[in-house]
């Protein structure tokens, strides 16, 4: 409020000495006073320039995805952490609360009221989402960020062949090459990880942690592919707009996550003290809240990037973004830097670029073919699917 008062004061200052002695009109040589409408229109034009800037959208998407991975890893990386269902419930509650606030203030205008019939039809997809995000946090809890990012590429292979089986998709030779590179990068990453763990003082415990992480990662690949393929099968009949997919996903998962947390997780005061030690308690709470906001940020930035660039550019950005995500694990969480781990990151990075290029080539060839019955997705649904693969 003080800034607004100062702005009004400085705008009105020239009015005191700018009167002409002839009839009280302003001297024509004195420039006109800037109006509040002009300042508002100037701000709107600057905002519109940023909103339509491809570079800004790409940087925002990269920041959102990297920060989300880093925050998730930070929250679940505590040695005593075991409240994953509670963490995911907080994410969904923050996400729903933020969506409702944005709707009330007019930022979100195309969110329809909750439809119970659509909710019942979408509920199985939300259950698959619960499986996907829970196994994702568990695997991220036991694996380093680079290894997690590399193994996440295997989901692309399962989804691709699922589309071949159920939607009549196809796998091009270039895509097949990228799949081979993805498998190779995963093998190299696992070899480098287990070799480094075997050389530590507590080798048995470290290897057991890695094996648990690989098991959860395998379940995550299956759950993610099931969620993406199931969403593709159902979403065409739902007529969802941009924000509807995110709203229904989070709204329907809240009761499931809360019930699972109350039934499965330990809510004793001793266990809460272990999960939220006093020295990191506030940082953990901030991270949990940010993760809910980050889900909205990723969805918005994904749709923004698709809108102001193209799906081709977005695919390439998603492929190139794997490298900074993997590097962030080396920087923030002291993941082991070995020849094997660096080689795995590089191979995984190349495989992502090859796969993105294969999708570009495939889409270019599809332009010369008659339209098929493949369902169209909204920008939000497409971004949700791509986020599941990232």
């Amino acid at each position: 409020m003080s800034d607004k008062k100062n702005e009004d004061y400085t705008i009105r200052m020239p009015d005191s000495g700018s009167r002409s002695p002839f009839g009280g009109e302003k001297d024509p040589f004195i420039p006109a006073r800037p109006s509040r409408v002009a300042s508002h229109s100037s701000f709107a034009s600057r905002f519109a320039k940023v909103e339509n800037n491809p570079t800004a959208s790409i940087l925002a998407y990269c920041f959102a995805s990297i920060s989300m991975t880093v925050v998730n890893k930070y929250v679940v990386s505590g040695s005593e952490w075991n409240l994953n269902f509670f963490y995911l419930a907080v994410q969904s509650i923050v996400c729903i609360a933020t969506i409702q606030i944005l709707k009330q203030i007019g930022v979100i205008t195309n969110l329809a009221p909750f439809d119970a019939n659509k909710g019942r039809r979408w509920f199985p997809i939300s259950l698959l989402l619960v499986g996907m995000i829970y196994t994702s946090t568990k695997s991220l809890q036991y694996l380093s960020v680079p290894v997690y990012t590399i193994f996440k590429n295997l989901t692309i292979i399962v989804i691709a062949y699922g589309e071949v089986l159920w939607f009549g998709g196809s796998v091009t030779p270039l895509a097949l090459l990228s799949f081979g590179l993805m498998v190779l990068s995963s093998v190299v990453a696992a070899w480098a990880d287990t070799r480094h763990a075997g050389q530590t003082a507590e080798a048995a415990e470290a290897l057991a942690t890695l094996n648990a992480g690989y098991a959860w990662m395998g379940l995550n690949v299956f759950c993610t592919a099931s969620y993406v393929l199931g969403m593709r099968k159902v979403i065409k009949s739902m007529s969802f707009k941009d924000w509807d997919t995110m709203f229904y996903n989070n709204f329907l998962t809240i009761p499931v996550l809360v019930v699972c947390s109350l039934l499965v997780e330990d809510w004793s005061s001793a266990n809460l003290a272990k999960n939220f030690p006093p020295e990191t308690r506030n940082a953990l709470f901030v991270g949990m809240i940010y993760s809910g906001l980050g889900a909205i940020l990723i969805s918005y930035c994904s749709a923004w990037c698709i809108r102001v660039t193209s799906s081709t550019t977005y695919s390439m950005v998603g492929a190139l973004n794997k490298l900074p995500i993997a590097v962030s694990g080396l920087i923030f969480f002291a993941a082991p830097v070995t020849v094997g781990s660096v080689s795995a990151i590089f191979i995984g990075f190349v495989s992502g670029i090859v796969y993105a290029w294969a999708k570009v080539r495939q889409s270019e060839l599809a332009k010369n073919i008659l339209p098929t019955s493949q369902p169209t997705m909204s920008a939000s649904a497409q971004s949700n699917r791509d986020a599941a693969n990232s």
Side-chain angles (χ1 to χ4, degrees), residues 60 65 75 95 109 271 359:
S65 58
V75 173
C95 189
T109 58
N271 189 60
K359 297 297 288 183

Side-chain angles (χ1 to χ4, degrees), residues 161-174:
Y161 282 102
E163 290 181 339
V164 171
L165 291 175
W166 291 307
F167 301 104
S170 61
V171 177
T172 63
L174 196 59

Side-chain angles (χ1 to χ4, degrees), residues 89-296:
V90 171
Q91 275 189 2
S92 295
I93 292 171
V94 170
C95 189
I96 288 296
T98 305
I99 289 175
Q100 290 298 327
I101 292 172
L102 294 176
K103 182 181 179 181
Q104 291 297 322
I105 64 178
V107 175
I108 296 177
T109 58
N110 58 349
L111 179 64
F114 179 77
D115 188 328
N117 291 326
K118 287 185 177 181
R120 282 192 293 270
R121 291 161 58 193
W122 193 257
F123 186 70
I125 306 300
S126 296
L127 290 180
L128 293 175
L129 176 63
V130 170
M132 183 189 81
I133 58 180
Y134 181 78
T135 55
S136 175
T137 56
K138 292 297 290 186
S139 56
L140 192 58
Q141 183 176 353
Y142 293 110
L143 298 176
S144 65
V145 172
V147 174
Y148 170 83
T149 304
I150 292 168
F151 271 84
K152 197 71 176 174
N153 283 337
L154 298 178
T155 306
I156 297 174
I157 303 176
V158 180
I159 293 174
Y161 282 102
E163 290 181 339
V164 171
L165 291 175
W166 291 307
F167 301 104
S170 61
V171 177
T172 63
L174 196 59
L176 195 61
L177 173 62
S178 70
F179 295 164
L181 291 173
M182 291 174 189
V183 173
L184 177 61
S185 65
S186 301
V187 172
V188 174
W191 168 77
D193 237 18
T194 53
R195 184 183 180 189
H196 180 269
Q199 296 173 349
T200 59
E202 300 176 347
E205 183 179 352
L207 289 174
T209 300
L210 287 179
N211 290 333
Y214 296 144
W216 282 113
M217 194 73 241
L219 289 174
N220 178 251
V221 169
F222 172 77
C223 292
T224 302
S226 301
Y227 167 71
V228 173
L229 295 171
M231 181 177 67
R232 176 174 176 178
K233 190 174 183 65
V234 176
I235 196 170
K236 184 181 180 182
S237 62
M238 301 296 288
S239 301
F240 277 162
K241 300 290 179 61
D242 285 345
W243 290 96
D244 292 336
T245 305
M246 175 174 287
F247 176 79
Y248 276 79
N249 272 337
N250 287 277
F251 185 76
L252 295 175
T253 56
I254 289 174
V256 178
L257 293 169
V258 170
V259 170
C260 288
S261 178
L262 294 175
L263 293 179
V264 176
E265 295 175 338
D266 184 4
W267 280 87
S268 65
S269 58
N271 189 60
L272 290 176
K274 290 180 181 178
N275 282 272
F276 299 100
E279 60 272 14
T280 60
R281 185 174 299 162
N282 292 336
L284 286 173
F285 286 146
V286 170
M288 294 172 75
I289 294 173
Y290 175 80
S291 65
L293 299 175
I296 297 178

Side-chain angles (χ1 to χ4, degrees), residues 40-53 300 304 307:
H40 285 178
S41 63
S42 176
F43 172 77
S45 64
R46 288 197 298 268
F47 180 76
K49 288 180 180 179
V50 174
E51 192 178 24
N52 294 308
N53 189 327
Y300 175 79
W304 179 20
R307 179 176 59 82

